[in-house]
Amino acid sequence: MAVDELDTRILRLLLEQPRTSVREYARILGVARGTLQARLDRLERHGVITGTAPALSPAALGHPVLAFVHIEVTQGHLDEVGDALAAVPEIVEAFSITGGGDLLARVVARDNAHLEDVVQKLISMPGVVRTRTEVALRERVSHRMLPLVESIGRSARG
């Protein structure tokens, strides 16, 4: 989907001021509320905007340990293992990948012992051959979308 300059301005506002009303966004952008709503609907319909849930901190929820677990799966069992991962609450994201392993899971835990318990649960899943765990020491770049949106906006103008 092509994102134009107004779309970029809308996305920037959504990222910078996520708790603002549609009416206020329209006022800030200097467009009619109907125009803004139509743009938001289009962005949602095309999958650009995928949700409106608040960002939560696993650390503030008592899970300060973050690890990335590479999971090697028996051939033909990727979907089954992927479905099983969804049942583990400490797995906050999981992806099929290329390279060293078949899946990459982002795992949060209360402490290192809890992380070991989660990894042992993964290892015992049918279809899992082996895991490799990397513990994150410090977040260097938080999850962000604004720089990408701004880059796309510059491309749309130029």
Short mmCIF file of all heavy atoms in Angstrom, two decimals, residues 11 17 23 31 57 61 64-65 71 83-84 89 93 96-97 103 106-107 110 119 121-122 130 136-137 152-153 157:
data_model
loop_
_atom_site.label_atom_id
_atom_site.label_comp_id
_atom_site.label_asym_id
_atom_site.label_seq_id
_atom_site.Cartn_x
_atom_site.Cartn_y
_atom_site.Cartn_z
N LEU A 11 0.25 8.69 11.06
CA LEU A 11 0.97 7.63 11.77
C LEU A 11 1.91 8.21 12.83
O LEU A 11 2.02 7.67 13.94
CB LEU A 11 1.74 6.77 10.77
CG LEU A 11 0.87 5.94 9.82
CD1 LEU A 11 1.71 5.31 8.73
CD2 LEU A 11 0.05 4.91 10.58
N GLN A 17 1.32 10.42 20.15
CA GLN A 17 0.22 10.76 21.07
C GLN A 17 -0.88 9.69 20.96
O GLN A 17 -1.97 9.97 20.49
CB GLN A 17 -0.36 12.13 20.71
CG GLN A 17 0.64 13.26 20.78
CD GLN A 17 0.03 14.58 20.32
OE1 GLN A 17 -1.14 14.85 20.53
NE2 GLN A 17 0.84 15.40 19.67
N ARG A 23 -11.03 13.31 16.96
CA ARG A 23 -11.36 14.73 16.78
C ARG A 23 -10.13 15.61 17.00
O ARG A 23 -9.88 16.53 16.22
CB ARG A 23 -12.47 15.13 17.75
CG ARG A 23 -12.83 16.60 17.65
CD ARG A 23 -13.96 16.96 18.57
NE ARG A 23 -15.14 16.26 18.10
CZ ARG A 23 -16.26 16.14 18.77
NH1 ARG A 23 -16.37 16.67 19.95
NH2 ARG A 23 -17.29 15.49 18.26
N VAL A 31 -7.37 18.72 9.18
CA VAL A 31 -8.21 18.03 8.21
C VAL A 31 -9.57 17.74 8.84
O VAL A 31 -9.71 17.76 10.06
CB VAL A 31 -7.57 16.69 7.72
CG1 VAL A 31 -6.24 16.95 7.03
CG2 VAL A 31 -7.40 15.70 8.85
N SER A 57 5.20 -3.43 29.89
CA SER A 57 6.56 -3.78 30.26
C SER A 57 6.59 -5.10 31.00
O SER A 57 6.08 -5.18 32.13
CB SER A 57 7.14 -2.68 31.16
OG SER A 57 8.32 -3.14 31.79
N LEU A 61 5.95 -6.06 35.08
CA LEU A 61 5.01 -7.12 35.44
C LEU A 61 5.70 -8.27 36.17
O LEU A 61 5.13 -9.34 36.34
CB LEU A 61 4.31 -7.65 34.17
CG LEU A 61 3.34 -6.67 33.51
CD1 LEU A 61 2.91 -7.19 32.13
CD2 LEU A 61 2.13 -6.44 34.40
N PRO A 64 11.69 -9.48 34.52
CA PRO A 64 12.77 -8.62 34.00
C PRO A 64 13.79 -9.33 33.11
O PRO A 64 14.56 -8.67 32.42
CB PRO A 64 13.43 -8.10 35.26
CG PRO A 64 13.23 -9.20 36.27
CD PRO A 64 11.87 -9.76 35.95
N VAL A 65 13.81 -10.66 33.11
CA VAL A 65 14.78 -11.39 32.31
C VAL A 65 14.21 -11.57 30.90
O VAL A 65 13.08 -12.02 30.73
CB VAL A 65 15.10 -12.77 32.94
CG1 VAL A 65 16.04 -13.57 32.03
CG2 VAL A 65 15.71 -12.58 34.33
N ILE A 71 15.07 -22.40 18.35
CA ILE A 71 14.50 -23.74 18.50
C ILE A 71 14.65 -24.50 17.19
O ILE A 71 14.19 -24.04 16.14
CB ILE A 71 13.00 -23.65 18.89
CG1 ILE A 71 12.84 -22.81 20.17
CG2 ILE A 71 12.40 -25.04 19.06
CD1 ILE A 71 11.41 -22.39 20.44
N ASP A 83 2.33 -23.95 17.26
CA ASP A 83 1.08 -23.92 18.02
C ASP A 83 1.32 -24.18 19.50
O ASP A 83 0.70 -23.55 20.36
CB ASP A 83 0.09 -24.96 17.47
CG ASP A 83 -0.43 -24.62 16.09
OD1 ASP A 83 -0.29 -23.45 15.65
OD2 ASP A 83 -0.96 -25.53 15.42
N ALA A 84 2.23 -25.10 19.82
CA ALA A 84 2.55 -25.40 21.22
C ALA A 84 3.20 -24.21 21.91
O ALA A 84 2.95 -23.95 23.10
CB ALA A 84 3.45 -26.63 21.31
N PRO A 89 2.89 -18.91 28.29
CA PRO A 89 2.68 -17.48 28.50
C PRO A 89 3.95 -16.64 28.51
O PRO A 89 3.91 -15.46 28.16
CB PRO A 89 1.97 -17.39 29.86
CG PRO A 89 1.98 -18.74 30.44
CD PRO A 89 2.41 -19.72 29.39
N GLU A 93 6.74 -13.55 21.79
CA GLU A 93 6.79 -13.52 20.33
C GLU A 93 7.51 -14.77 19.86
O GLU A 93 8.39 -15.27 20.56
CB GLU A 93 7.59 -12.32 19.80
CG GLU A 93 6.95 -10.97 19.94
CD GLU A 93 7.82 -9.87 19.35
OE1 GLU A 93 8.98 -9.72 19.80
OE2 GLU A 93 7.34 -9.17 18.45
N SER A 96 9.21 -17.95 12.63
CA SER A 96 9.94 -18.91 11.80
C SER A 96 11.13 -18.15 11.24
O SER A 96 10.98 -17.00 10.83
CB SER A 96 9.07 -19.40 10.64
OG SER A 96 7.93 -20.05 11.10
N ILE A 97 12.29 -18.79 11.21
CA ILE A 97 13.51 -18.09 10.77
C ILE A 97 14.32 -18.97 9.83
O ILE A 97 14.09 -20.17 9.72
CB ILE A 97 14.39 -17.68 11.98
CG1 ILE A 97 14.83 -18.91 12.79
CG2 ILE A 97 13.66 -16.67 12.85
CD1 ILE A 97 15.91 -18.61 13.81
N LEU A 103 12.88 -21.81 14.58
CA LEU A 103 12.04 -20.82 15.25
C LEU A 103 12.89 -19.97 16.17
O LEU A 103 13.90 -20.44 16.71
CB LEU A 103 10.95 -21.52 16.08
CG LEU A 103 9.91 -22.33 15.32
CD1 LEU A 103 9.16 -23.26 16.27
CD2 LEU A 103 8.94 -21.40 14.64
N ARG A 106 10.97 -15.06 21.65
CA ARG A 106 11.33 -14.02 22.63
C ARG A 106 10.64 -14.43 23.93
O ARG A 106 9.42 -14.53 23.99
CB ARG A 106 10.84 -12.67 22.16
CG ARG A 106 11.23 -11.54 23.05
CD ARG A 106 10.80 -10.23 22.43
NE ARG A 106 11.17 -9.15 23.32
CZ ARG A 106 10.83 -7.90 23.12
NH1 ARG A 106 10.14 -7.56 22.05
NH2 ARG A 106 11.19 -6.99 23.96
N VAL A 107 11.44 -14.67 24.95
CA VAL A 107 10.96 -15.24 26.21
C VAL A 107 11.26 -14.28 27.35
O VAL A 107 12.36 -13.71 27.42
CB VAL A 107 11.65 -16.60 26.48
CG1 VAL A 107 11.20 -17.19 27.80
CG2 VAL A 107 11.39 -17.57 25.33
N ARG A 110 10.91 -14.43 35.32
CA ARG A 110 11.08 -13.73 36.59
C ARG A 110 12.55 -13.65 36.99
O ARG A 110 13.01 -12.66 37.56
CB ARG A 110 10.30 -14.45 37.70
CG ARG A 110 8.79 -14.38 37.53
CD ARG A 110 8.06 -15.02 38.69
NE ARG A 110 8.42 -16.42 38.90
CZ ARG A 110 7.84 -17.45 38.29
NH1 ARG A 110 6.86 -17.23 37.42
NH2 ARG A 110 8.23 -18.68 38.54
N VAL A 119 12.71 -22.93 29.37
CA VAL A 119 13.50 -23.61 28.34
C VAL A 119 13.32 -25.13 28.44
O VAL A 119 13.17 -25.81 27.42
CB VAL A 119 14.99 -23.21 28.41
CG1 VAL A 119 15.83 -24.07 27.49
CG2 VAL A 119 15.14 -21.73 28.06
N LYS A 121 10.68 -26.64 29.48
CA LYS A 121 9.35 -26.90 28.94
C LYS A 121 9.41 -26.96 27.42
O LYS A 121 8.79 -27.82 26.79
CB LYS A 121 8.39 -25.79 29.39
CG LYS A 121 6.95 -26.04 29.02
CD LYS A 121 6.05 -24.86 29.42
CE LYS A 121 6.05 -24.61 30.89
NZ LYS A 121 5.10 -23.53 31.28
N LEU A 122 10.20 -26.06 26.81
CA LEU A 122 10.33 -26.06 25.35
C LEU A 122 11.02 -27.32 24.86
O LEU A 122 10.60 -27.93 23.87
CB LEU A 122 11.11 -24.82 24.89
CG LEU A 122 10.51 -23.46 25.24
CD1 LEU A 122 11.41 -22.34 24.73
CD2 LEU A 122 9.11 -23.32 24.71
N ARG A 130 16.34 -29.37 19.63
CA ARG A 130 17.36 -28.70 20.45
C ARG A 130 17.01 -27.23 20.55
O ARG A 130 16.31 -26.69 19.69
CB ARG A 130 18.71 -28.97 19.80
CG ARG A 130 19.74 -27.97 19.77
CD ARG A 130 21.05 -28.37 19.05
NE ARG A 130 21.35 -29.78 18.98
CZ ARG A 130 21.23 -30.53 17.90
NH1 ARG A 130 20.81 -30.02 16.77
NH2 ARG A 130 21.54 -31.81 17.92
N ALA A 136 19.42 -11.53 26.97
CA ALA A 136 19.67 -10.11 26.66
C ALA A 136 20.19 -9.42 27.92
O ALA A 136 19.63 -9.59 29.00
CB ALA A 136 18.38 -9.44 26.19
N LEU A 137 21.26 -8.65 27.77
CA LEU A 137 21.83 -7.93 28.90
C LEU A 137 21.18 -6.56 29.10
O LEU A 137 20.85 -6.17 30.21
CB LEU A 137 23.34 -7.78 28.72
CG LEU A 137 24.11 -9.08 28.61
CD1 LEU A 137 25.58 -8.79 28.32
CD2 LEU A 137 23.95 -9.91 29.88
N ILE A 152 9.72 6.76 5.38
CA ILE A 152 8.72 6.54 4.33
C ILE A 152 8.10 7.86 3.92
O ILE A 152 7.87 8.11 2.74
CB ILE A 152 7.66 5.51 4.81
CG1 ILE A 152 8.31 4.14 4.93
CG2 ILE A 152 6.48 5.48 3.85
CD1 ILE A 152 7.46 3.13 5.67
N GLY A 153 7.84 8.72 4.90
CA GLY A 153 7.27 10.03 4.61
C GLY A 153 8.19 10.89 3.75
O GLY A 153 7.75 11.57 2.83
N ARG A 157 7.44 12.32 -0.14
CA ARG A 157 7.54 13.73 -0.54
C ARG A 157 8.50 13.90 -1.72
O ARG A 157 8.34 14.81 -2.51
CB ARG A 157 8.05 14.58 0.63
CG ARG A 157 7.04 14.81 1.70
CD ARG A 157 7.53 15.85 2.68
NE ARG A 157 8.71 15.43 3.42
CZ ARG A 157 8.69 14.84 4.61
NH1 ARG A 157 7.56 14.56 5.18
NH2 ARG A 157 9.79 14.52 5.21
#
